[in-house]
């Protein structure tokens, strides 16, 4: 048999083999088989990676925690960066076994011999990989065992080294192991790796029956065991683009012959609904007897002409069917025969027109974006003509692209600047690319979908980060509000209605309240630190009150040093203004001097005259009081103090009213609270609001605000709303929201998939018309 040692390269894969690797001389038929198989596997692998981003993004979207979501996003990034390396490593692993097919390998233990002895050493993740691979291989073998077996038999007829189905270089075992080894560089957790393996099963292993059929046929043509009769390869449901191109190549192929049975049933059901209302709710087409239906290929050409000449801004008076009729009339005049659209294609046009009527009437879509989306009608119609799975398959790229655009536009406000808004510009770019480049290959939708998902994924990650910061800030504000209420309560319990010097009231309200706030936030109201701070406040209040009991003087002497020290340290810890602190302590000094003087005047004359006290003061205090004040850190007492009458008057006495502490920037004015019954309908509507719900507030006749409920802060009962960038734009109470619902100034936005809602509406309308 003729052999050839030359290697046919495939995208440099063969060229990258090590110069020292053993290269046996292979029959020409095996070289052709290797290259053809590698080319098919490469295409399947590319489809896998094209779809991996979408799959991982959907998994991230359904993640139940931030950690899980981040794992999927990191996997997307890792897969994009290492895609080329994985493709190269996989194809290298496909090429290498062929190089040794005509060589014996001595002393290398088999995989089976290794697997049993090392099973105990296999880690949990590796065990999961092994179980997944075994299941994938078993599925392929149960389905394509004849094709694999015949290929193995034919290979053994051509080479010196004997193979079985497991060691067949194109068998499912070898391919699965090659892919797993190629993915070893991915830094992803086992859950994500198993998802990637499922994608390999879906997009590569699912097509192996075709590979084995072609491989066996190629060897049969080379005269290798032609007597082996293989069963014909089963037909897979065609991928997006394949069915479309086939339909384009078929003249009059508008019936969608290549769709699978399930898809065909969906479209046939839609056709039956249309047929039942045609002539009543829908006008019946009047066709001349000699009318000649145009093929789907010709219809696509007409639509492409309309697409290229569509107005830059879609207008309300643009009627696609009317424009198409005008083009057909011109074609009829030129050919001398009446040309009409075929019945099946006519049904497609009617369905797409009704879908877009719903879409452009949908209140969920912002009006300023409807004009952009309206320009997608012709490209979507062309896709539907090419591929009837457009109506039945939720994962269809064109359908998903429309849904993703609508979902991204949900939070887009009318006030956004279209010239500078990145989302508007991205949607405009997608629309323009379709209008300019889409002719008859729907693969462009897959490219645009992947690009748009990458864009919205980045936008979403940024908005989620800002949204989380907004929630954290609001929760922090709520904790501060609760602490403020605790401090208010403590102050009012001790001060309300009492007669106290004005300086004491101001010090407690302006300065010590901050110390209490920080203590409450850091340690809580049950902590020793809180109890100590409250005790200091109690001591200050007691020291500022008038006392007649002689024992009070002794207590005051003992109290003042520790009290003033605690006050000074507490205010310093709260970073209170040092200048204001000095002012407060100067006034407290005078206050306590007054207290000691009151005790001095009340003492018997014999006790007043003590030889150790310095003379010369206009009004003297005893040495113990002076020592107490000095110990407390007060400034040295003035040599001359004002008369007693002036000292008494310097401490202005006031009756303390209720103290209300305000947050920085907060005003005392608040909205009047409205009392509503628990079963009030508006309150029930508020209860149905869920975090993540999008709503629209009618601010006035012209302005609307679209925002998302980002958080419900339970301690304060506040509902926090953010815009699509994650920035806080609104804050409402439960009652405030109920009032908005009552006056119909708030509307929930439907975030269900746009195309699915439109199709559901069209089917519902057709059924109602049928029953009318």
């Amino acid at each position: 048999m003729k052999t050839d040692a030359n290697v046919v390269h495939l995208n440099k894969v063969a060229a990258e083999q090590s110069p020292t690797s053993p290269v046996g001389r292979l029959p020409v038929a095996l070289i052709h088989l290797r290259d053809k198989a590698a080319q098919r596997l490469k295409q399947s692998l590319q489809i896998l990676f094209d779809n991996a981003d979408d799959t991982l993004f959907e998994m991230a979207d359904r993640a139940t925690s931030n950690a899980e979501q981040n794992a999927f996003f990191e996997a997307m990034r890792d897969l994009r960066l290492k895609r080329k390396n994985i493709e190269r490593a996989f194809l290298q692993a496909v090429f290498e076994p062929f190089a040794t097919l005509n060589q014996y390998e001595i002393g290398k233990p088999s995989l089976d011999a290794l697997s049993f002895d090392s099973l105990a050493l296999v880690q949990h993740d590796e065990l999961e990989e092994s179980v997944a691979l075994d299941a994938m291989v078993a599925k392929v073998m149960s389905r394509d065992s004849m094709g694999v077996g015949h290929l193995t038999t034919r290979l053994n007829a051509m080479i010196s080294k004997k193979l079985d189905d497991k060691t067949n270089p194109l068998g499912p075992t070898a391919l699965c192991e090659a892919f797993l080894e190629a993915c070893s560089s991915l830094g992803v957790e086992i859950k994500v790796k198993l998802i990637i393996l499922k994608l390999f099963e879906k997009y590569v292993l699912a097509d192996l029956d075709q590979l084995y059929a072609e491989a066996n046929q190629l060897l049969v043509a080379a005269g290798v065991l032609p007597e082996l009769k293989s069963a014909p390869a089963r037909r897979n449901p065609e991928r997006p683009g394949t069915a479309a191109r086939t339909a384009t190549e078929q003249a009059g192929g508008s019936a969608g012959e290549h769709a699978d049975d399930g898809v065909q049933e969906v479209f046939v059901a839609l056709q039956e609904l249309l047929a039942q209302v045609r002539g009543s709710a829908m006008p019946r087409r009047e066709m001349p007897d000699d009318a000649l239906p145009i093929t789907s290929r010709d219809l696509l050409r007409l639509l492409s002409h309309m697409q290229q000449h569509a107005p830059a801004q879609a207008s309300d008076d643009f009627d696609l069917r009317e424009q198409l009729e005008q083009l057909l009339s011109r074609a009829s005049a030129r050919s001398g025969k009446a040309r009409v659209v075929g019945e099946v294609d006519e049904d497609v046009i009617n369905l797409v027109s009704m879908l877009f009527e719903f879409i452009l009437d949908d209140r969920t879509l912002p009006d300023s974006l409807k004009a952009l989306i309206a320009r997608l009608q012709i490209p979507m119609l062309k896709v539907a003509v090419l591929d009837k799975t457009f109506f039945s398959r939720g994962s269809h790229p064109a359908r998903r692209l429309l849904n993703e655009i609508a979902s991204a536009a949900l939070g887009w406000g009318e006030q956004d600047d279209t010239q500078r808004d990145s989302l508007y510009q991205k949607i405009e770019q997608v629309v323009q690319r379709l209008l300019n480049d889409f002719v008859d290959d729907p693969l462009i939708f897959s490219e645009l979908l992947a690009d748009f998902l990458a864009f919205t994924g980045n936008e979403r990650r940024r908005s989620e980060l800002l949204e989380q910061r907004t929630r954290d800030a609001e929760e922090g504000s709520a904790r501060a509000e609760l602490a403020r209420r605790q401090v208010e309560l403590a102050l009012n319990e001790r001060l309300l209605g009492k007669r106290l010097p004005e300086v004491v009231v101001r010090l407690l309200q302006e300065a010590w309240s901050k110390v209490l706030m920080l203590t409450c936030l850091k340690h809580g109201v049950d902590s020793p630190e809180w109890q100590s701070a409250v005790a200091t406040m109690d001591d200050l209040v007691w020291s500022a009150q008038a006392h007649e009991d002689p024992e009070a003087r002794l207590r005051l002497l003992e109290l003042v040093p520790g009290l003033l020290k605690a006050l000074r340290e507490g205010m310093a810890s709260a970073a209170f203004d040092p200048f204001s602190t000095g002012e407060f302590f100067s006034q407290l000094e005078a206050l306590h001097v007054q207290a000691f003087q009151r005790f001095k005047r009340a003492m018997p004359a014999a006790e007043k005259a003590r030889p150790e006290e310095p003379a010369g003061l206009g009004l003297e205090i005893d040495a113990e009081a002076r020592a107490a004040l000095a110990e407390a850190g007060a400034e040295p007492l003035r040599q001359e103090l004002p008369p007693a009458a002036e000292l008494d008057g310097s401490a202005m006495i006031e009756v303390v009213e209720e103290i209300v502490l305000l947050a920085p920037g907060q005003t005392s004015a608040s909205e009047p609270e409205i009392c509503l019954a628990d079963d009030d309908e508006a309150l029930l509507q508020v209860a149905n609001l869920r975090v993540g719900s999008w709503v629209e507030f009618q601010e006035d006749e012209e302005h609307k605000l679209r925002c998302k409920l980002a958080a419900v802060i339970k301690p304060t009962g506040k509902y926090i709303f953010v815009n699509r960038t994650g920035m806080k734009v609104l804050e409402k109470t439960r009652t405030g929201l109920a009032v908005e619902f009552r006056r119909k100034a708030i509307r929930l936005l439907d975030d269900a998939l746009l195309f699915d809602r439109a199709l559901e509406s069209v089917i519902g309308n057709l059924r109602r018309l049928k029953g009318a």
Side-chain angles (χ1 to χ4, degrees), residues 406-428:
S407 296
L410 194 62
W412 201 84
E414 299 296 343
Q415 70 277 10
D416 293 348
D417 187 349
T418 58
Q419 298 302 317
R420 290 182 294 179
D421 185 84
S422 58
L423 174 62
Y424 187 93
Q425 291 178 345
K426 188 65 180 180
I427 297 174
E428 189 174 40

Side-chain angles (χ1 to χ4, degrees), residues 384-395:
V385 170
L386 287 165
D387 184 6
K388 303 304 182 294
T389 65
F390 178 73
F391 295 106
S392 60
R393 188 158 58 93
S395 60

Side-chain angles (χ1 to χ4, degrees), residues 64-189:
T64 56
S65 67
N66 287 337
E68 185 180 9
Q69 189 176 66
N70 289 336
F72 286 119
F73 284 141
E74 286 300 318
M76 289 168 61
R77 179 178 177 277
D78 202 23
L79 208 57
R80 286 183 201 143
L81 292 175
K82 296 176 180 175
R83 168 176 177 168
K84 295 298 181 185
N85 290 337
I86 293 173
E87 289 180 0
R88 188 180 294 111
F90 175 71
L91 293 175
Q92 182 80 15
V94 171
F95 266 79
E96 284 178 349
F98 280 92
T100 60
L101 287 180
N102 271 332
Q103 293 186 355
Y104 291 102
E105 291 181 273
I106 302 173
K108 183 177 180 181
S110 67
L111 290 175
D112 291 339
L114 287 173
S115 59
F116 182 81
D117 294 337
S118 61
L119 187 59
L121 303 177
V122 174
Q123 299 297 317
H124 177 70
D125 288 359
E126 294 174 352
L127 185 59
E128 286 201 51
E129 291 175 0
S130 177
V131 171
L133 257 63
D134 289 345
M136 291 157 59
V137 171
K139 191 177 294 185
V140 175
M141 291 304 297
S142 67
R143 186 185 66 217
D144 305 319
S145 58
M146 181 180 291
V148 177
H150 286 186
L151 179 59
T152 302
T153 303
R154 287 189 168 99
L155 289 176
N156 283 329
M158 302 172 67
I159 60 176
S160 55
K161 174 183 171 182
K162 296 306 175 186
L163 304 172
D164 57 24
D165 290 346
K166 287 186 177 180
T167 55
N168 184 333
L170 295 179
T173 302
L175 294 178
C176 287
E177 290 176 350
F179 182 72
L180 186 61
E181 179 63 28
C183 292
S184 61
S185 63
L186 287 175
V188 297
E189 56 188 48

